[in-house]
Amino acid sequence: MRLLRLPALCLAAGLLLAGHALSGCADPPAENAVAYVENVAITSEALSDAYATFAMQAGLPDDDPRMRDEVLGSLINRQLVIQAAWDAGVRQSAEYREELARVRKRAAIDHYTARRLIDTLRVREADLRRVFVQSNTTYEARHLYAPSREAADALRARLMAGGTFEALAREVFADPTLAANGGYVGEFGHDEMDPAFEYTAFTLPIGAISEPVQTALGYSIIKVESRATVPLLTETQFAEKRASLERYERKRRRVEARYDHSRAVHEALDIRVAPAPLDELAALAAGEPGAMLVDTPASPDAWQTVPLVTFTSPTTGAQTWTVADVERLAAQASERQLAAVRDARTLKTFIEGLVVREELAARATEAGLDQGARYEAVVEERMGDWVFAQTERRMRETATPPVDSLRAYYAAHADYFTMPERVPVEEILVASKREAEELRARIEAGDDFATLARDYSQRPGAALAAGDLGLLSRGDLGVLGAPVFDAAPGALVGPLEVAGRYVLLRRGALQPPRPMTFAEARPQIAERLDVEFAQRWLGRYLDDLRRRYDVRIHDDAVARVRLFS
């Protein structure tokens, strides 16, 4: 399903084309086109889908003519940017070709799963009424994150045995806020969270602990703190929102069915990951190489040939992937998927996901679903999305606020920028709790902390810095913030477990809050001004594109579009 996100910068900068000289085209549209950028048609289906997504997010009625032209204007802006990239030869770049390979594989998999899951999309009247109530409900909830179903089951078992969200959140979240507040996500409403998360929050009894819930990021264990529904809901309101409610429920069911199918495929493949190479690869990925499993100086590439994962595919038969195979396929993963890999456990989950992905792609190819006009149209559209996102990224990088603007902002808002309280921290990071306890005993017996940090700490750069991490705030320390700041100056803290390893920490004297200098505040100021300068850049860029390209809008065709069908 297309999930077109309206370009926020276009909206914020007032660059939508409604009411500009683009309207009023008298030529009859061809087939279902409502507008053209050069010879590329923007179809009534594209307008309807884009409006549906925007209306759901903004809480608009199913058909608001005032927003119709604005949504169309945003689609035209998007196509102008994409057309310019095509003409500039973006298709010849290595970056484009790499992304195209990923998109083609993903599109084939989506086509395959859509074929299999078509029976899951029938929505009953009772489902629509449930979603209607859900769309008028707000929640307060907390959750714990796990990268895999096995880790989620173990996490839930600890909760049921008496563990608390507050204690476990400090272990599972890298985000310092979630780690410190017990996974509390605050208040949220309809379509503000992952659909599976929201559905669970709607159906789970208040105070109960959910089973593991699979989301786009992994698994969540959810506890609903409170839930409130608008008391007076009418049949008229239900009728007005019926079409958008059906779209939302179909999307949720599609995602849920795909997760279920992927789990079934995973179980059928009998995936086995070799533990020793897995641990070594995880250490290398973290920048902590240990004793190489393959130590052959005459053949430095031998490590790449080590068997890492085996599985049995009903499509391609028994398979063995080496380290090199996994690294090659990992290059096709998204940045979000790669960022989730933090240790051997999350790496194993990632590798298993690669195996499932390749199996689904093989099944799609076997069924001939990686070809044809419809498939190519999906690929072209997704590559257009990628091109637009790349242009946005370059725009932000190019539109750098000048130094005098940064200084002027600092002078006008100096009170906004305060350095939080901080403490100097020294650290020794080791692989096992036993080693950490032995080092603590040596420090308490009089051994020098800095010397031990140079000799034993696994932190990259520890040998040069002698374990000195500098001045850090609670937020900088993440899950370690509370134990460090609660300790007395000069105290030794730990051993504490962090992502499967153990740290010893020594804190110094508290440095109280103080006003930031301009140099310290500059990154924050630049971040605040980046959007403003990017909007200006985009405005100038779109003005230029409108002069270069022919844009035609067919007003009669636009007026006839049913925004929800």
Side-chain angles (χ1 to χ4, degrees), residues 353-376:
L354 292 180
V355 174
V356 171
R357 185 190 72 182
E358 292 305 303
E359 172 63 19
L360 293 174
R363 295 184 185 186
T365 299
E366 186 178 55
L369 300 178
D370 59 347
Q371 53 191 309
R374 180 181 175 187
Y375 167 78
E376 295 297 340

Side-chain angles (χ1 to χ4, degrees), residues 296-488:
T296 314
S299 179
D301 294 331
W303 161 245
Q304 297 289 304
T305 68
V306 172
L308 180 57
V309 57
T310 61
F311 59 95
T312 303
S313 162
T315 308
T316 57
Q319 297 282 315
T320 298
W321 287 358
T322 65
V323 170
D325 293 327
V326 170
E327 290 181 343
R328 173 177 54 81
L329 293 167
Q332 299 177 8
S334 68
E335 291 183 5
R336 187 188 70 190
Q337 291 169 326
L338 293 171
V341 177
R342 302 186 303 274
D343 50 29
R345 185 180 63 181
T346 53
L347 177 59
K348 180 174 181 289
T349 299
F350 173 75
I351 292 171
E352 290 171 344
L354 292 180
V355 174
V356 171
R357 185 190 72 182
E358 292 305 303
E359 172 63 19
L360 293 174
R363 295 184 185 186
T365 299
E366 186 178 55
L369 300 178
D370 59 347
Q371 53 191 309
R374 180 181 175 187
Y375 167 78
E376 295 297 340
V378 170
V379 170
E380 183 79 358
E381 180 183 348
R382 293 184 182 181
M383 289 310 299
D385 290 340
W386 178 82
V387 166
F388 185 86
Q390 294 298 103
T391 303
E392 262 193 324
R393 178 182 60 78
R394 286 195 297 271
M395 168 199 66
R396 291 181 182 275
E397 294 172 352
T398 303
T400 304
V403 175
D404 58 346
S405 295
L406 300 179
R407 289 190 178 279
Y409 190 93
Y410 175 74
H413 305 92
D415 292 344
Y416 294 173
F417 301 103
T418 302
M419 187 67 72
E421 62 179 8
R422 298 176 297 166
V423 294
V425 180
E426 298 170 274
E427 176 209 55
I428 301 175
L429 176 69
V430 293
S432 70
K433 185 175 183 180
R434 179 179 178 181
E435 185 179 5
E437 289 172 341
E438 290 174 351
L439 290 171
R440 180 179 178 115
R442 290 178 62 179
I443 294 168
E444 290 173 338
D447 282 11
D448 180 58
F449 190 104
T451 300
L452 294 178
R454 288 192 188 96
D455 293 343
Y456 294 99
S457 182
Q458 296 181 356
R459 176 77 63 191
L464 293 175
D468 184 7
L469 299 180
L471 287 169
L472 300 176
S473 68
R474 283 180 181 267
D476 294 331
L477 286 163
V479 298
L480 301 175
V484 169
F485 272 76
D486 290 346

Side-chain angles (χ1 to χ4, degrees), residues 51-99:
Y51 181 89
T53 300
F54 181 56
M56 179 66 72
Q57 294 171 347
L60 297 175
D62 284 356
D63 191 344
D64 185 344
R66 296 171 301 173
M67 292 302 301
R68 182 197 312 251
D69 290 340
E70 294 193 14
V71 173
L72 177 58
S74 188
L75 290 176
I76 291 170
N77 281 347
R78 173 185 178 277
Q79 188 56 43
L80 282 166
V81 171
I82 293 169
Q83 188 68 43
W86 292 157
D87 293 346
V90 68
R91 288 184 174 95
Q92 280 67 57
S93 70
E95 190 179 18
Y96 179 92
R97 290 194 295 270
E98 291 172 2
E99 182 64 21

Side-chain angles (χ1 to χ4, degrees), residues 141-160 163-165 168-169 172-173 182-185 197 200-201 204 208-215 218-224:
R142 62 181 71 245
H143 81 123
L144 298 174
Y145 167 80
S148 67
R149 179 59 190 249
E150 294 77 11
D153 286 334
L155 202 56
R156 187 176 189 276
R158 292 174 66 184
L159 280 172
M160 302 310 290
T164 66
F165 276 80
L168 295 176
V172 302
F173 287 115
Y184 179 69
V185 298
F197 193 108
T200 300
L204 188 70
I209 296 173
S210 75
E211 295 289 337
V213 176
Q214 186 169 7
T215 70
Y219 288 83
S220 286
I221 312 296
I222 301 169
K223 180 182 179 182
V224 179

Side-chain angles (χ1 to χ4, degrees), residues 60 65 108 194 203 221 240 262 285 299 451 483 547:
L60 297 175
D194 183 278
T203 56
I221 312 296
E240 289 175 350
S262 293
S299 179
T451 300
R547 290 189 290 268

